Amino acid sequence: EPLNKAGSKGDAIVIGSNHITICCENEAVYQYHVTFTPNVESMSMRFGMMKDHRSATGEVMAFDGSILYLPVKMKEVVHLTSVRKTDNKEIEIKIQMTKILAPHSDLCIPFYNVVLRRVMKIIGLKLVGRNHYNPESAVILGKHQLQVWPGYSTAIKRTDGGLYLCVDVSHKVLQNDSVLDIMRVMYQQSKESFQDECTKELIGAIVITRYNNRTYRIDGIEWNKSPKDTFTLMDGTTTTFVEYYSKNYGITIKEMDQPLLMHRPKERSRPGGKQIITGEILLVPELSFMTGIPEKMKKDFRAMKDLTMHINMNGEQHTNAIKQLVKNISTNPETRKELSRWGLHINPEILMTKGRTLPHEMICMQSASFATGADVSWSREIVRDASISTIPLRIWAIFYPSRCVEEAEELISTFKKVAGPIGMHLERPFRVELKGDQTETYVKHIHSLLTSEPKMQLVVCIIVGNREDLYSAIKKLCCVKNPIPSQAINIRTISQKQKLKSIAQKILLQMNSKVGGELWTVNIPLKHLMVVGVDIHHDTSKVNRSVMGFVASINSSLTRWYSRVTFQTVTEELICGFRICLLAALQKYYEVNHNLPDKIVVYRDGVSDGQLKTVELYEIPQLLTCFKTFPDYEPKLVFIVVQKRISTTLYAWSADHFSTPPPGTILDHTLTQRDCVDFYLMAHHTRQGCGIPTHYIALYNTANLTPDHLQRLTFKMCHLYWNWPGTIRVPAPCKYAHKLAFLSGQYLHSEPAIQLCDKLFFL
């Protein structure tokens, strides 16, 4: 029977989505099993033999080497013969029908997607990675040495509403300079450490080779090789790189002494489970171009504004781009023929359906409470009314280089002025003026002050410029060696006089959260509840290590959080760490409340569709075994997977045009998955671009929470992230877990000190 996943709370709203209905006009698809006797090992030979018998099977087929799909019905068993060209041996081919499939069956979707790839090629789009782009319509941003290729990512998928073509508008950003140009610039800048700098900059980057539009990840630089070196072709002959590119692509390589870039392809398994490992691929820097936005540009606000102008589309532009693609497909006779072979027909209109917007939440502070407005932001109220609880800052210190004396004094006096309304009490801080701004100077002074003042509550550091090394050193010292909450402030943030008051208010609220204060909450009707957020970050210093951030609520108003971090190698995945963290959180909950929670809701971020099974089979049972540690303890568990990176886009339809849906928009039918309780929720307010909701999948629910409960609780959770007085895309505990994992993986490279685990020190 169909799963009950539809809620009813909230107001109805008409929404569109980036999905196009696909109709199947064939009655069925027929599946056959093909056996070759004697056995033919070579896949290409099998494909060739099947091609020779098109008169028997018909022109249209999907064949993977052993399973054959046809849109037509043949006899139960068909016997054919072929001759193997290598030894002239006669091969018998037996084709036996195994299944009759409905045309929208899951087994048909992979080859429908193959047909779709052909269709995209016919209309002139180039496949780059998994998406299709149109280099002809590239937008050139000469000022930034970039070009943007418009394109689409498309997939045919089956959901609760049937078969759909999901179209997302995609953009590929390429740099106009080749990798060789970038190397030359780096050589001019630092001749001594040139090779190290190149390695740091290029390893892990994705490059595109324009002659075949393929993308590769750079895994190494072969300094002792050059285009004059030789390599062996498939047929066994050897050739130099220079000759190869000249003969095959008509390209003349100019620089003969450049090193080569190396890419190691991932191991792929063919049907039949045989691993194929291809050798390393060598690329010529002169012919490779960097993709993606350069790091330097990401930090340049104006440059990013120029770029996002071309990439961020509003609902109207997005739907027009999708309609244009559908029009190009449906007006081309060749694509229509390709689709009709499998009986597929694409509807010209975008999917329209009914959704809901959830009721607004009440934000509760110490004595004031208020309903959120249309843009779900409460930045004014948060600095006007007292926070739920504040920690008086009696002993705290501020460190700054001598050129920032004025700004530091100005900041301290502004803190004094704005602390009152928030309900904070500040004593005079220790002021430490540093002679220089070297990393060692900061570390030495912070360390010596913490040693002489063991009751220090908070360390504030003013930093000049973008100093990742300095930030990392301060955080390592204050989160691992000498555990104490710390606040780093960039001088740029506090140097604008007219904005200083509002900046100081925000920093104070953040400092209050870090030392254990509580800012605001929403009304949570469920009693004895623990909410857990989990996210993963991949550690940059060690290739095969990932970090799990784990954050759990330890009081009934969800204003106190307990956090842990575990590191694991990629193969271990999450299993062991998860259980240890939950155990520690339950013990902490018991310490605070003198009882254990009845219901535990876990929001698990960072799981793709392919990993859902693993999570269901391994992670959830681990959590259940953890409860046995406590006598007679059987709480109810809800496990919800949170997916941010999805291709579904929603638009609100009103007054004859598409716009961004309002915060609290829910879609829990039509586009949902068939075999689980899931929903799409757009909790945040977007000012630019389209409405990309977050996808929530309830994998486990023994608390029997109804779809309405799950949806409302999730929306409430999106209100509780204290770094932003508004709603965010994911539940607050997931965002906290992300911040914690990011800090530990990016800067600390180790677990934070246990003394800090009951504070939000990682904000």
Side-chain angles (χ1 to χ4, degrees):
E1 64 182 61
L3 292 164
N4 168 31
K5 54 173 92 170
S8 57
K9 292 277 186 290
D11 304 325
I13 176 178
V14 177
I15 42 186
S17 178
N18 58 336
H19 287 68
I20 313 283
T21 311
I22 292 184
C23 317
C24 305
E25 289 162 2
N26 286 4
E27 282 177 17
V29 172
Y30 303 91
Q31 181 184 327
Y32 303 86
H33 192 266
V34 184
T35 34
F36 297 83
T37 33
N39 190 20
V40 176
E41 278 291 330
S42 156
M43 279 294 169
S44 52
M45 218 175 262
R46 287 185 180 199
F47 291 135
M49 289 177 184
M50 288 306 293
K51 242 183 200 160
D52 297 342
H53 290 296
R54 282 202 167 155
S55 52
T57 60
E59 283 293 311
V60 187
M61 62 163 139
F63 180 56
D64 71 355
S66 57
I67 294 172
L68 173 72
Y69 295 99
L70 298 177
V72 292
K73 187 175 183 179
M74 301 200 302
K75 284 190 282 193
E76 284 292 313
V77 183
V78 176
H79 291 281
L80 305 166
T81 56
S82 270
V83 172
R84 183 158 50 189
K85 298 207 171 59
T86 47
D87 57 0
N88 290 332
K89 201 168 185 119
E90 194 172 272
I91 305 286
E92 268 189 36
I93 304 172
K94 176 179 157 192
I95 304 178
Q96 183 164 13
M97 190 191 290
T98 48
K99 275 183 191 154
I100 299 176
L101 304 169
H104 50 65
S105 150
D106 287 349
L107 291 166
C108 303
I109 288 172
F111 59 82
Y112 287 165
N113 277 310
V114 172
V115 173
L116 181 63
R117 273 213 291 276
R118 274 188 225 137
V119 164
M120 298 295 270
K121 193 174 170 187
I122 293 168
I123 61 171
L125 296 176
K126 300 272 184 287
L127 182 67
V128 180
R130 292 177 182 177
N131 300 343
H132 291 84
Y133 296 94
N134 185 358
E136 309 297 308
S137 324
V139 176
I140 310 286
L141 300 174
K143 196 165 73 178
H144 306 298
Q145 293 293 307
L146 290 183
Q147 45 179 300
V148 181
W149 291 6
Y152 300 95
S153 83
T154 51
I156 291 176
K157 57 183 192 181
R158 191 177 161 206
T159 64
D160 277 326
L163 205 59
Y164 290 105
L165 165 63
C166 173
V167 184
D168 203 8
V169 178
S170 168
H171 292 88
K172 192 98 192 140
V173 179
L174 314 184
Q175 298 180 28
N176 290 344
D177 295 341
S178 71
V179 174
L180 181 62
D181 297 334
I182 292 169
M183 286 175 145
R184 282 183 177 140
V185 171
M186 288 166 94
Y187 184 67
Q188 295 308 324
Q189 285 168 354
S190 53
K191 290 183 177 160
E192 299 76 45
S193 58
F194 166 61
Q195 293 198 359
D196 295 342
E197 287 299 317
C198 269
T199 307
K200 208 160 93 182
E201 181 78 12
L202 298 175
I203 301 279
I206 308 283
V207 295
I208 186 170
T209 44
R210 295 290 300 276
Y211 49 84
N212 60 358
N213 281 332
R214 303 257 327 245
T215 53
Y216 303 90
R217 188 190 58 250
I218 303 178
D219 293 316
I221 303 173
E222 298 283 344
W223 293 103
N224 49 2
K225 290 197 167 142
S226 76
K228 294 178 290 201
D229 285 28
T230 57
F231 67 101
T232 310
L233 290 162
M234 290 295 241
D235 60 4
T237 56
T238 55
T239 175
T240 67
F241 286 90
V242 179
E243 285 165 5
Y244 174 77
Y245 284 106
S246 168
K247 192 171 136 196
N248 287 289
Y249 296 103
I251 295 173
T252 311
I253 292 176
K254 300 185 183 78
E255 173 62 68
M256 289 300 165
D257 292 329
Q258 55 187 316
L260 298 181
L261 309 172
M262 186 267 289
H263 164 69
R264 276 188 218 96
K266 281 186 180 163
E267 295 180 11
R268 295 249 171 103
S269 59
R270 278 271 174 87
K274 287 200 177 72
Q275 289 290 335
I276 48 161
I277 303 170
T278 39
E280 294 172 347
I281 294 173
L282 293 171
L283 305 167
V284 180
E286 191 180 313
L287 309 178
S288 310
F289 294 82
M290 302 280 273
T291 66
I293 306 168
E295 280 306 315
K296 201 164 84 215
M297 186 171 168
K298 282 182 187 167
K299 292 172 182 149
D300 179 347
F301 177 73
R302 284 212 176 85
M304 287 304 284
K305 204 171 170 184
D306 290 349
L307 180 62
T308 49
M309 230 171 64
H310 297 284
I311 291 179
N312 278 352
M313 292 181 155
N314 61 28
E316 203 63 20
Q317 294 165 315
H318 207 257
T319 46
N320 286 342
I322 294 171
K323 284 176 183 166
Q324 188 56 51
L325 174 71
V326 174
K327 188 178 162 192
N328 293 352
I329 292 174
S330 53
T331 53
N332 185 320
E334 220 180 314
T335 57
R336 284 216 304 272
K337 182 182 165 197
E338 188 66 49
L339 288 164
S340 66
R341 294 167 130 196
W342 287 102
L344 299 179
H345 171 72
I346 295 181
N347 191 8
E349 287 306 314
I350 277 174
L351 172 76
M352 301 294 285
T353 183
K354 280 212 164 39
R356 288 173 294 117
T357 50
L358 294 177
H360 287 300
E361 292 292 335
M362 291 291 285
I363 302 294
C364 309
M365 295 176 67
Q366 189 179 19
S367 46
S369 60
F370 48 88
T372 56
D375 63 347
V376 278
S377 157
W378 47 95
S379 50
R380 286 198 189 89
E381 292 86 348
I382 185 76
V383 293
R384 217 172 42 204
D385 303 315
S387 302
I388 293 176
S389 75
T390 52
I391 306 288
L393 277 181
R394 302 193 194 288
I395 310 174
W396 62 293
I398 181 161
F399 296 81
Y400 48 90
S402 36
R403 56 176 159 164
C404 303
V405 173
E406 254 179 66
E407 288 93 338
E409 287 300 334
E410 192 68 34
L411 180 67
I412 294 166
S413 71
T414 315
F415 275 164
K416 274 274 191 238
K417 284 177 206 151
V418 298
I422 303 170
M424 272 190 85
H425 175 73
L426 291 175
E427 294 284 344
R428 232 180 110 77
F430 284 88
R431 291 172 170 77
V432 183
E433 188 182 319
L434 308 169
K435 291 287 174 285
D437 61 358
Q438 292 83 2
T439 304
E440 305 77 68
T441 315
Y442 275 91
V443 171
K444 198 174 90 194
H445 282 85
I446 297 172
H447 187 265
S448 75
L449 186 64
L450 291 179
T451 318
S452 62
E453 288 289 342
K455 291 197 169 156
M456 185 67 67
Q457 290 168 280
L458 175 79
V459 166
V460 179
C461 295
I462 294 178
I463 296 175
V464 180
N466 253 337
R467 298 276 307 277
E468 297 251 318
D469 56 329
L470 173 56
Y471 181 80
S472 187
I474 293 171
K475 290 295 174 190
K476 271 183 187 149
L477 175 65
C478 297
C479 298
V480 186
K481 298 190 189 88
N482 293 47
I484 181 171
S486 55
Q487 179 78 35
I489 302 172
N490 196 314
I491 190 70
R492 231 185 28 236
T493 320
I494 54 170
S495 45
Q496 289 175 305
K497 288 275 195 309
Q498 66 278 22
K499 287 188 182 169
L500 188 59
K501 185 181 169 191
S502 74
I503 299 273
Q505 288 167 330
K506 292 190 177 88
I507 296 176
L508 262 190
L509 289 167
Q510 198 177 5
M511 281 162 37
N512 187 27
S513 312
K514 285 184 178 181
V515 293
E518 300 156 299
L519 303 192
W520 70 80
T521 187
V522 291
N523 178 25
I524 307 284
L526 295 171
K527 295 291 162 260
H528 304 300
L529 168 73
M530 174 190 267
V531 181
V532 175
V534 177
D535 199 4
I536 306 293
H537 174 77
H538 298 287
D539 187 350
T540 46
S541 70
K542 306 201 171 47
V543 181
N544 287 331
R545 211 163 71 140
S546 58
V547 193
M548 175 182 93
F550 173 99
V551 175
S553 64
I554 50 174
N555 69 345
S556 58
S557 55
L558 307 189
T559 54
R560 291 188 57 191
W561 301 91
Y562 176 83
S563 61
R564 289 293 288 267
V565 170
T566 59
F567 283 80
Q568 65 269 332
T569 57
V570 171
T571 43
E572 292 175 343
E573 259 318 306
L574 271 186
I575 318 305
C576 21
F578 213 146
R579 194 177 75 222
I580 296 162
C581 293
L582 184 62
L583 255 176
L586 286 169
Q587 277 154 348
K588 186 75 186 172
Y589 187 99
Y590 189 80
E591 244 173 72
V592 173
N593 303 285
H594 309 301
N595 61 8
L596 287 165
D598 296 341
K599 293 185 184 72
I600 299 172
V601 178
V602 177
Y603 286 100
R604 164 80 159 91
D605 208 334
V607 182
S608 62
D609 280 342
Q611 297 166 314
L612 287 173
K613 249 321 162 255
T614 315
V615 169
E616 208 171 340
L617 294 176
Y618 297 104
E619 283 183 24
I620 297 173
Q622 283 291 329
L623 298 185
L624 297 173
T625 58
C626 162
F627 303 142
K628 293 178 184 158
T629 317
F630 304 94
D632 305 327
Y633 180 49
E634 287 178 10
K636 305 282 186 267
L637 177 70
V638 181
F639 194 100
I640 300 173
V641 165
V642 180
Q643 294 180 330
K644 300 186 292 290
R645 293 185 178 176
I646 54 171
S647 50
T648 301
T649 305
L650 301 180
Y651 326 101
W653 174 258
S654 60
D656 288 349
H657 76 283
F658 288 112
S659 57
T660 312
T665 299
I666 281 269
L667 181 66
D668 54 11
H669 55 84
T670 314
L671 296 181
T672 43
Q673 295 182 354
R674 293 201 326 280
D675 36 13
C676 50
V677 175
D678 61 331
F679 59 91
Y680 292 92
L681 165 66
M682 177 135 167
H684 59 303
H685 175 68
T686 44
R687 285 189 170 76
Q688 51 181 31
C690 296
I692 300 177
T694 304
H695 188 202
Y696 296 90
I697 306 167
L699 285 187
Y700 192 84
N701 178 2
T702 48
N704 296 332
L705 294 185
T706 63
D708 267 327
H709 280 140
L710 292 171
Q711 293 167 12
R712 292 288 303 275
L713 178 68
T714 303
F715 189 42
K716 283 172 186 289
M717 287 296 121
C718 296
H719 289 70
L720 295 181
Y721 180 59
W722 287 340
N723 248 359
W724 175 252
T727 50
I728 57 169
R729 268 198 76 179
V730 292
C734 285
K735 186 71 176 171
Y736 289 141
H738 167 76
K739 290 280 286 192
L740 175 61
F742 181 77
L743 172 73
S744 307
Q746 198 77 11
Y747 298 112
L748 306 182
H749 304 300
S750 68
E751 290 181 28
I754 200 84
Q755 292 90 320
L756 293 172
C757 67
D758 56 351
K759 297 187 175 65
L760 294 174
F761 67 93
F762 44 84
L763 279 182

